[in-house]
Structures are given as structure tokens and as C-alpha cells.
Amino acid sequence: MAYSTISKPSLHFNTKLYTGNGSTQSITGVGFQPDWVWLKKRNSTADHGLYDAVRGVTKQLYSNDAAAEATNANSLTAFGTDGFSIGTSSMINGNSDTFASWNWKANGAGSANTDGTINSTVSANTTAGFSIVKYTGTGSVATVGHGLGAAPKMMLIRILEDPNDWQVYHQSIGNTHKLNLNTTEGSSDQINRWNDTSPTSSVFTLGTHSSVNASGPTYIAYCFAEKKGYSKFGSYTGNDNADGTFVYTGFKPAWVMTKYYSGSGHGWHMQDNKRDGFNYNNHRLFANTSGAEETSVRMDLLSNGFKYRDNDGNGNGFNYIYMAFAESPFVNSAGAVPNNARWLWNLCLYFQYVHL
């Protein structure tokens, strides 16, 4: 049983859907003050918009594009106590358009961190294993403090001032390889990203490539440590079967992103429990494209994991990485079984009783 110290995951991550009005509006019902907000139009083509409390309001990045950070006064204009406010940008608030927002809690605008050879500004939620890290590159091999108190299993890093690809570290492909969030490329061996060194409980290591550590530019890193019953960062091999490979997470997923990494040509699949909300028609967006939501993919979000129901995300012999966050733990910190898993718990108790 995956006992969790986080009994209510929606206090740390939550998906909130909304409809644009073409004017200004406040999106509420997130359940906390989000520090990282990822927005995407669902019904038609538009760039993804990524905003965080460390860089500040109106500063947007695009997961699907190598473009530099932009300032847009009509984008996300405030982080509220229960959500966020947005302006008139059609990318995130087109009239009558439908949108998804994915929201993570860190710790506000951040504070100074001197754990690494490069000083950083860190906004860290150590309970949920998520931090936002801002630093200035040196052009030399360096370390940067992340503030999590546990080694990150996954990191997304982006230079702010210049066009460049997003750099992704994932424990399952190791410290010698990287992926690009904004492309369909597979993993590649790159010593100059992580200097062939895994993150520790206090710092991550950078090589000298301009995408992570040129001399002078500013960078943002989103760092994730694994928390039992709340988040999971792993890998699986597909079987090209309608009864796809089952991926155990130890919780009912609220949000899953997967990527085929042993070859190119496949994107970053994003699915959550709000845009459709029932198995197996959980709708899909791609982190690496501006495309509209797809409704044909088949995925089950189960009480303790997930599985694809077709070969897209489940190719035979294909190797994938994933990151997942919980709707509810299988067993919470009080030893109680949440409603979504109670039927399975009762079934286990029944068979135990019959066996005895």
C-alpha cells in the first residue's frame, strides 16, 4: 500500500477548466494560491502559456515553442488566493473558447538559496516535492540549489532571454541524457547538460551548454521530487494492446504526461481527470504542439495507476517516461482509504476473510 503524507493532493496540484470571455476575469476554485500555472486552449489551436510567481505576472513561456520569455500585459495578471486573474489575450481567454489550467503550489515569490556554486532564488513546496528555481548562468560547470530537501526525479529548464529548446532531466533516462519538452525528439546523450551527474537532496549539476548554463542569461527550472501517494516519475514499456501496459503509481492519477523516449517522432501526451473525467475517453493535449484537444485516445485513470487502451502511448516494445500527480492516494496519511479506492480495499478485506 502506498501510504501518503499528503491526504488531499488537490491542495498542492489541481486542474481547473474555464471558458474565456474575451475581456478580463478571475478564475477561482483552484483550492489554493497557485505559484505555477500552465494554460492551454482546448477547442482550437493556440500556444501553451506558462506563468510562475518567481518570474512574476505577465511573464509567459511556451512549452511548445523555443521562443524566449515574453511580457504580455493581457496574459496572467495576478495570482489569487484561490486561483488567478487573466487579461484579454485570446491565447488564454478567447471569447467562448474552452481552456484547461494546471496549477501547482510552491511557496510564493521565492527566497535566496546559496546551496550551490550558483546562487538561486527558490520557491519550494517541500511537502509536495515541487520547486521553482531561478538562476543566472556562468558558462562553467556549476551546481544550483533547488530547496526540496530530496533529490529531484524530473526537471524542466528554460533559458529566459534567448530562443532555445526546453531541457528535460528525468531519472529514468539518467544523468547522461536529456529530452526537449517542445519537440518530438527522443533522448540523446549530452554531457554538457547535467555534466553526467545526478541531482542530490540539495543541488542539481549543470554542464556548459547555452540551454542550461551560458554566461550571463537567466534561467528558470521546475523541479520535482517524488512523494509517495502523490507524485510519481518513472518509465514503462508499451505492449500495443487494448489492455495496455498497467503503470502502477500508488494513487489515482489526476494528471499524467508521457513521452516515448527511445526514438523520435512522438510528442508529450497530457491527460487529466477533469477534461472528460471518465475511463476510457480521457482527452489528450500535447505539451509540444499548439494543437487543439484530441478525443480519440484511450486511457484509463485507475485507483492506483493508469493504462492506455490503444497503441498511441503504448507502442509495442516502446519505452516511455511519465510524470503523474494524484487525485487521491490509495491510502492516506491517516491510514484511511479514500472513496475512489474503498471498493478495492473492501474487496481485499473480503478475500482475506474468506481465505482465513
Side-chain angles (χ1 to χ4, degrees):
M1 293 296 183
Y3 287 87
S4 177
T5 58
I6 300 175
S7 295
K8 193 172 182 180
S10 61
L11 294 179
H12 303 276
F13 168 81
N14 204 3
T15 299
K16 175 67 179 177
L17 307 181
Y18 66 93
T19 300
N21 65 7
S23 180
T24 60
Q25 63 170 319
S26 294
I27 309 302
T28 59
V30 171
F32 55 87
Q33 179 168 321
D35 299 301
W36 185 33
V37 178
W38 187 333
L39 306 179
K40 179 66 179 79
K41 184 183 291 189
R42 301 168 57 197
N43 61 305
S44 63
T45 299
D47 289 330
H48 294 247
L50 280 65
Y51 310 87
D52 66 70
V54 175
R55 290 182 297 122
V57 297
T58 74
K59 304 292 186 181
Q60 63 188 29
L61 289 167
Y62 318 92
S63 67
N64 59 292
D65 202 300
E69 178 188 67
T71 300
N72 183 348
N74 296 312
S75 60
L76 188 145
T77 57
F79 296 97
T81 57
D82 188 33
F84 53 92
S85 297
I86 50 179
T88 59
S89 170
S90 62
M91 187 180 87
I92 61 171
N93 195 23
N95 189 37
S96 299
D97 287 328
T98 56
F99 296 86
S101 74
W102 302 296
N103 304 271
W104 285 262
K105 179 180 177 60
N107 191 22
S111 57
N113 182 296
T114 58
D115 289 340
T117 58
I118 295 177
N119 292 340
S120 56
T121 299
V122 175
S123 176
N125 178 349
T126 56
T127 299
F130 171 60
S131 69
I132 305 166
V133 180
K134 187 177 180 181
Y135 65 92
T136 300
T138 63
S140 302
V141 173
T143 57
V144 180
H146 53 68
L148 291 175
K153 302 297 185 181
M154 187 168 181
M155 301 185 296
L156 314 176
I157 298 182
R158 184 69 174 79
I159 189 172
L160 299 183
E161 293 94 339
D162 302 315
N164 214 315
D165 292 328
W166 285 82
Q167 303 300 304
V168 181
Y169 167 87
H170 194 286
Q171 64 162 348
S172 295
I173 61 173
N175 60 37
T176 63
H177 286 69
K178 61 89 180 176
L179 287 162
N180 298 333
L181 182 64
N182 55 296
T183 76
T184 62
E185 293 179 16
S187 67
S188 58
D189 190 349
Q190 300 286 346
I191 189 173
N192 53 9
R193 284 353 185 247
W194 325 120
N195 202 46
D196 289 5
T197 305
S198 298
T200 71
S201 61
S202 58
V203 300
F204 57 88
T205 300
L206 300 172
T208 58
H209 194 270
S210 60
S211 62
V212 295
N213 188 24
S215 179
T218 307
Y219 297 81
I220 200 75
Y222 303 113
C223 303
F224 304 90
E226 197 168 273
K227 296 296 180 180
K228 182 183 290 187
Y230 167 76
S231 61
K232 191 75 174 175
F233 308 90
S235 62
Y236 66 94
T237 301
N239 63 11
D240 196 13
N241 192 296
D243 185 17
T245 298
F246 170 68
V247 183
Y248 175 79
T249 59
F251 52 79
K252 182 178 182 181
W255 187 90
V256 177
M257 182 161 70
T258 66
K259 174 70 173 79
Y260 169 54
Y261 71 85
S262 51
S264 61
H266 295 256
W268 295 79
H269 301 186
M270 307 172 74
Q271 282 148 304
D272 61 62
N273 63 340
K274 298 289 180 66
R275 285 180 287 135
D276 192 48
F278 61 90
N279 296 332
Y280 48 78
N281 293 313
N282 289 292
H283 297 169
R284 175 177 65 181
L285 287 162
F286 289 93
N288 59 287
T289 77
S290 61
E293 183 175 83
E294 294 185 357
T295 61
S296 60
V297 73
R298 308 279 197 257
M299 176 189 267
D300 284 349
L301 300 175
L302 305 168
S303 63
N304 60 349
F306 66 91
K307 66 165 63 177
Y308 281 98
R309 289 295 190 175
D310 58 25
N311 68 350
D312 201 352
N314 185 40
N316 188 34
F318 284 19
N319 296 317
Y320 299 83
I321 59 163
Y322 69 88
M323 62 187 299
F325 297 91
E327 174 185 323
S328 55
F330 197 74
V331 181
N332 67 22
S333 59
V337 182
N339 288 333
N340 73 285
R342 191 162 289 142
W343 67 271
L344 185 56
W345 177 263
N346 289 335
L347 186 63
C348 291
L349 292 178
Y350 168 76
F351 279 113
Q352 182 183 33
Y353 173 77
V354 171
H355 179 73
L356 292 174

